[in-house]
Every structure is written in structure tokens, then in C-alpha cells.
Short mmCIF file of all heavy atoms in Angstrom, two decimals:
data_model
loop_
_atom_site.label_atom_id
_atom_site.label_comp_id
_atom_site.label_asym_id
_atom_site.label_seq_id
_atom_site.Cartn_x
_atom_site.Cartn_y
_atom_site.Cartn_z
N ASP A 16 0.86 -1.18 0.00
CA ASP A 16 0.00 0.00 0.00
C ASP A 16 0.90 1.23 0.00
O ASP A 16 2.10 1.13 -0.16
CB ASP A 16 -0.99 -0.02 1.16
CG ASP A 16 -0.30 0.08 2.53
OD1 ASP A 16 0.89 0.43 2.58
OD2 ASP A 16 -0.96 -0.20 3.53
N ASP A 17 0.31 2.41 0.18
CA ASP A 17 1.12 3.62 0.07
C ASP A 17 2.14 3.77 1.19
O ASP A 17 3.10 4.51 1.06
CB ASP A 17 0.22 4.86 -0.02
CG ASP A 17 -0.75 4.98 1.15
OD1 ASP A 17 -1.00 3.95 1.81
OD2 ASP A 17 -1.26 6.07 1.38
N SER A 18 1.99 3.05 2.30
CA SER A 18 2.96 3.17 3.39
C SER A 18 4.14 2.21 3.23
O SER A 18 5.16 2.40 3.87
CB SER A 18 2.28 2.94 4.74
OG SER A 18 1.80 1.62 4.81
N LEU A 19 4.00 1.18 2.38
CA LEU A 19 5.05 0.17 2.25
C LEU A 19 5.37 -0.15 0.79
O LEU A 19 5.48 -1.30 0.43
CB LEU A 19 4.62 -1.13 2.95
CG LEU A 19 4.22 -1.02 4.40
CD1 LEU A 19 3.59 -2.32 4.88
CD2 LEU A 19 5.42 -0.69 5.26
N PRO A 20 5.53 0.83 -0.08
CA PRO A 20 5.68 0.49 -1.49
C PRO A 20 6.83 -0.45 -1.83
O PRO A 20 6.64 -1.36 -2.60
CB PRO A 20 5.83 1.82 -2.20
CG PRO A 20 5.64 2.87 -1.20
CD PRO A 20 5.50 2.24 0.15
N PRO A 21 8.04 -0.31 -1.28
CA PRO A 21 9.12 -1.18 -1.74
C PRO A 21 9.31 -2.43 -0.88
O PRO A 21 10.29 -3.13 -1.02
CB PRO A 21 10.34 -0.28 -1.63
CG PRO A 21 10.03 0.63 -0.48
CD PRO A 21 8.52 0.78 -0.49
N LEU A 22 8.40 -2.75 0.01
CA LEU A 22 8.61 -3.84 0.95
C LEU A 22 8.82 -5.18 0.27
O LEU A 22 9.72 -5.94 0.65
CB LEU A 22 7.45 -3.92 1.94
CG LEU A 22 7.61 -4.91 3.08
CD1 LEU A 22 8.86 -4.60 3.89
CD2 LEU A 22 6.40 -4.86 3.97
N SER A 23 8.02 -5.52 -0.72
CA SER A 23 8.18 -6.82 -1.37
C SER A 23 9.55 -6.94 -2.03
O SER A 23 10.19 -7.98 -1.94
CB SER A 23 7.06 -7.06 -2.38
OG SER A 23 7.03 -6.02 -3.34
N ALA A 24 10.00 -5.89 -2.67
CA ALA A 24 11.33 -5.90 -3.29
C ALA A 24 12.43 -5.94 -2.26
O ALA A 24 13.51 -6.47 -2.50
CB ALA A 24 11.49 -4.69 -4.20
N ALA A 25 12.20 -5.37 -1.08
CA ALA A 25 13.21 -5.38 -0.02
C ALA A 25 13.32 -6.75 0.65
O ALA A 25 14.40 -7.16 1.06
CB ALA A 25 12.88 -4.31 1.03
N ILE A 26 12.21 -7.47 0.75
CA ILE A 26 12.21 -8.76 1.44
C ILE A 26 12.68 -9.90 0.55
O ILE A 26 13.35 -10.81 1.01
CB ILE A 26 10.80 -9.05 1.99
CG1 ILE A 26 10.49 -8.02 3.03
CG2 ILE A 26 10.66 -10.47 2.46
CD1 ILE A 26 9.78 -8.41 4.24
N SER A 27 12.34 -9.86 -0.73
CA SER A 27 12.63 -11.00 -1.60
C SER A 27 14.10 -11.40 -1.68
O SER A 27 14.39 -12.59 -1.74
CB SER A 27 12.04 -10.79 -2.99
OG SER A 27 12.64 -9.70 -3.63
N PRO A 28 15.07 -10.48 -1.62
CA PRO A 28 16.46 -10.96 -1.67
C PRO A 28 16.93 -11.57 -0.34
O PRO A 28 17.99 -12.18 -0.29
CB PRO A 28 17.27 -9.71 -1.99
CG PRO A 28 16.42 -8.56 -1.62
CD PRO A 28 15.01 -9.03 -1.73
N LEU A 29 16.13 -11.44 0.71
CA LEU A 29 16.51 -11.94 2.02
C LEU A 29 16.01 -13.36 2.29
O LEU A 29 16.28 -13.91 3.35
CB LEU A 29 15.98 -11.01 3.12
CG LEU A 29 16.41 -9.54 3.00
CD1 LEU A 29 15.74 -8.71 4.07
CD2 LEU A 29 17.93 -9.42 3.06
N THR A 30 15.27 -13.94 1.35
CA THR A 30 14.69 -15.25 1.58
C THR A 30 14.70 -16.07 0.30
O THR A 30 14.77 -15.52 -0.79
CB THR A 30 13.23 -15.13 2.11
OG1 THR A 30 12.72 -16.43 2.37
CG2 THR A 30 12.34 -14.41 1.13
N THR A 31 14.66 -17.38 0.46
CA THR A 31 14.52 -18.26 -0.70
C THR A 31 13.06 -18.67 -0.87
O THR A 31 12.73 -19.37 -1.80
CB THR A 31 15.38 -19.53 -0.53
OG1 THR A 31 14.97 -20.20 0.67
CG2 THR A 31 16.85 -19.19 -0.47
N ARG A 32 12.21 -18.21 0.02
CA ARG A 32 10.78 -18.53 -0.06
C ARG A 32 10.08 -17.59 -1.03
O ARG A 32 10.53 -16.46 -1.25
CB ARG A 32 10.16 -18.43 1.32
CG ARG A 32 10.76 -19.46 2.25
CD ARG A 32 10.21 -19.37 3.62
NE ARG A 32 10.94 -20.30 4.45
CZ ARG A 32 10.38 -21.04 5.38
NH1 ARG A 32 9.10 -20.93 5.62
NH2 ARG A 32 11.10 -21.87 6.07
N PRO A 33 8.95 -18.03 -1.58
CA PRO A 33 8.22 -17.15 -2.50
C PRO A 33 7.70 -15.91 -1.77
O PRO A 33 7.28 -15.99 -0.62
CB PRO A 33 7.04 -18.01 -2.96
CG PRO A 33 7.37 -19.40 -2.58
CD PRO A 33 8.33 -19.34 -1.44
N VAL A 34 7.77 -14.78 -2.46
CA VAL A 34 7.21 -13.53 -1.93
C VAL A 34 6.04 -13.17 -2.84
O VAL A 34 6.19 -13.04 -4.05
CB VAL A 34 8.27 -12.41 -1.92
CG1 VAL A 34 7.65 -11.09 -1.48
CG2 VAL A 34 9.44 -12.78 -1.03
N LEU A 35 4.86 -13.02 -2.23
CA LEU A 35 3.66 -12.68 -2.97
C LEU A 35 3.25 -11.26 -2.62
O LEU A 35 3.12 -10.93 -1.45
CB LEU A 35 2.51 -13.64 -2.61
CG LEU A 35 2.82 -15.14 -2.70
CD1 LEU A 35 1.61 -15.94 -2.24
CD2 LEU A 35 3.24 -15.53 -4.09
N ALA A 36 3.07 -10.42 -3.61
CA ALA A 36 2.68 -9.03 -3.38
C ALA A 36 1.27 -8.80 -3.92
O ALA A 36 0.92 -9.26 -5.00
CB ALA A 36 3.66 -8.09 -4.08
N VAL A 37 0.48 -8.07 -3.15
CA VAL A 37 -0.89 -7.70 -3.55
C VAL A 37 -0.99 -6.18 -3.54
O VAL A 37 -0.95 -5.57 -2.48
CB VAL A 37 -1.94 -8.30 -2.60
CG1 VAL A 37 -3.34 -7.86 -3.01
CG2 VAL A 37 -1.84 -9.81 -2.56
N PRO A 38 -1.09 -5.55 -4.70
CA PRO A 38 -1.25 -4.10 -4.73
C PRO A 38 -2.63 -3.68 -4.23
O PRO A 38 -3.64 -4.21 -4.69
CB PRO A 38 -1.10 -3.74 -6.21
CG PRO A 38 -0.69 -4.99 -6.91
CD PRO A 38 -1.00 -6.14 -6.02
N LEU A 39 -2.66 -2.76 -3.27
CA LEU A 39 -3.93 -2.27 -2.74
C LEU A 39 -4.05 -0.78 -2.97
O LEU A 39 -3.23 0.00 -2.49
CB LEU A 39 -4.02 -2.55 -1.23
CG LEU A 39 -4.11 -4.01 -0.82
CD1 LEU A 39 -4.13 -4.12 0.69
CD2 LEU A 39 -5.34 -4.67 -1.41
N PRO A 40 -5.07 -0.37 -3.72
CA PRO A 40 -5.28 1.07 -3.90
C PRO A 40 -5.71 1.68 -2.56
O PRO A 40 -6.23 0.99 -1.69
CB PRO A 40 -6.40 1.15 -4.93
CG PRO A 40 -7.01 -0.19 -5.00
CD PRO A 40 -6.03 -1.18 -4.43
N SER A 41 -5.43 2.96 -2.40
CA SER A 41 -5.81 3.64 -1.15
C SER A 41 -6.25 5.06 -1.50
O SER A 41 -6.33 5.43 -2.67
CB SER A 41 -4.62 3.67 -0.20
OG SER A 41 -3.59 4.48 -0.74
N ALA A 42 -6.48 5.85 -0.47
CA ALA A 42 -6.89 7.23 -0.70
C ALA A 42 -5.82 8.02 -1.44
O ALA A 42 -6.12 8.95 -2.17
CB ALA A 42 -7.22 7.90 0.63
N THR A 43 -4.56 7.65 -1.25
CA THR A 43 -3.47 8.39 -1.88
C THR A 43 -2.83 7.65 -3.05
O THR A 43 -1.93 8.18 -3.68
CB THR A 43 -2.37 8.72 -0.85
OG1 THR A 43 -1.88 7.50 -0.30
CG2 THR A 43 -2.91 9.61 0.25
N LEU A 44 -3.28 6.42 -3.31
CA LEU A 44 -2.66 5.61 -4.36
C LEU A 44 -3.75 5.04 -5.27
O LEU A 44 -4.65 4.33 -4.81
CB LEU A 44 -1.92 4.44 -3.69
CG LEU A 44 -0.54 4.06 -4.18
CD1 LEU A 44 0.43 5.22 -4.03
CD2 LEU A 44 -0.03 2.87 -3.41
N SER A 45 -3.67 5.35 -6.56
CA SER A 45 -4.62 4.78 -7.52
C SER A 45 -4.27 3.29 -7.71
O SER A 45 -3.18 2.86 -7.33
CB SER A 45 -4.51 5.50 -8.86
OG SER A 45 -3.29 5.14 -9.51
N PRO A 46 -5.16 2.51 -8.31
CA PRO A 46 -4.83 1.10 -8.55
C PRO A 46 -3.54 0.94 -9.36
O PRO A 46 -2.72 0.08 -9.05
CB PRO A 46 -6.05 0.58 -9.32
CG PRO A 46 -7.18 1.43 -8.85
CD PRO A 46 -6.56 2.80 -8.64
N LEU A 47 -3.34 1.77 -10.38
CA LEU A 47 -2.12 1.67 -11.18
C LEU A 47 -0.88 2.02 -10.36
O LEU A 47 0.15 1.35 -10.45
CB LEU A 47 -2.21 2.57 -12.41
CG LEU A 47 -1.02 2.51 -13.37
CD1 LEU A 47 -0.75 1.08 -13.83
CD2 LEU A 47 -1.25 3.41 -14.56
N GLN A 48 -0.97 3.05 -9.52
CA GLN A 48 0.16 3.41 -8.66
C GLN A 48 0.46 2.30 -7.65
O GLN A 48 1.62 2.02 -7.36
CB GLN A 48 -0.11 4.72 -7.94
CG GLN A 48 -0.10 5.93 -8.85
CD GLN A 48 -0.63 7.17 -8.16
OE1 GLN A 48 -1.57 7.12 -7.37
NE2 GLN A 48 -0.02 8.32 -8.46
N ALA A 49 -0.57 1.66 -7.14
CA ALA A 49 -0.38 0.54 -6.21
C ALA A 49 0.33 -0.61 -6.92
O ALA A 49 1.24 -1.23 -6.36
CB ALA A 49 -1.72 0.08 -5.65
N LEU A 50 -0.06 -0.87 -8.17
CA LEU A 50 0.61 -1.92 -8.95
C LEU A 50 2.07 -1.56 -9.19
O LEU A 50 2.96 -2.40 -9.02
CB LEU A 50 -0.12 -2.13 -10.27
CG LEU A 50 0.47 -3.18 -11.21
CD1 LEU A 50 0.46 -4.55 -10.55
CD2 LEU A 50 -0.29 -3.20 -12.52
N GLU A 51 2.34 -0.32 -9.55
CA GLU A 51 3.72 0.11 -9.76
C GLU A 51 4.54 0.00 -8.48
O GLU A 51 5.70 -0.40 -8.50
CB GLU A 51 3.75 1.55 -10.28
CG GLU A 51 3.25 1.67 -11.71
CD GLU A 51 3.06 3.12 -12.15
OE1 GLU A 51 3.06 4.03 -11.29
OE2 GLU A 51 2.90 3.33 -13.36
N ALA A 52 3.94 0.31 -7.33
CA ALA A 52 4.64 0.22 -6.05
C ALA A 52 4.99 -1.23 -5.71
O ALA A 52 6.04 -1.51 -5.14
CB ALA A 52 3.79 0.83 -4.94
#
């Protein structure tokens, strides 16, 4: 979401487990911006 945009990219190099990201639109983030984040 808008408070944690790079979290999935930050966690994935730290683990060998799958990282699943779900973009969530918010009051400050459109669906497309959430996907980009």
C-alpha cells in the first residue's frame, strides 16, 4: 500500500521462499500506482 511500497522488493532478496505481493489502492494511491509500487 502507500505506506510500504518497496517492501516486497526489499524482502525478496533476504529469503529463498516465495514472496507474494498484492497491490492495494488507497486514498493516496490509484490502482495503477499501487501496482507500480
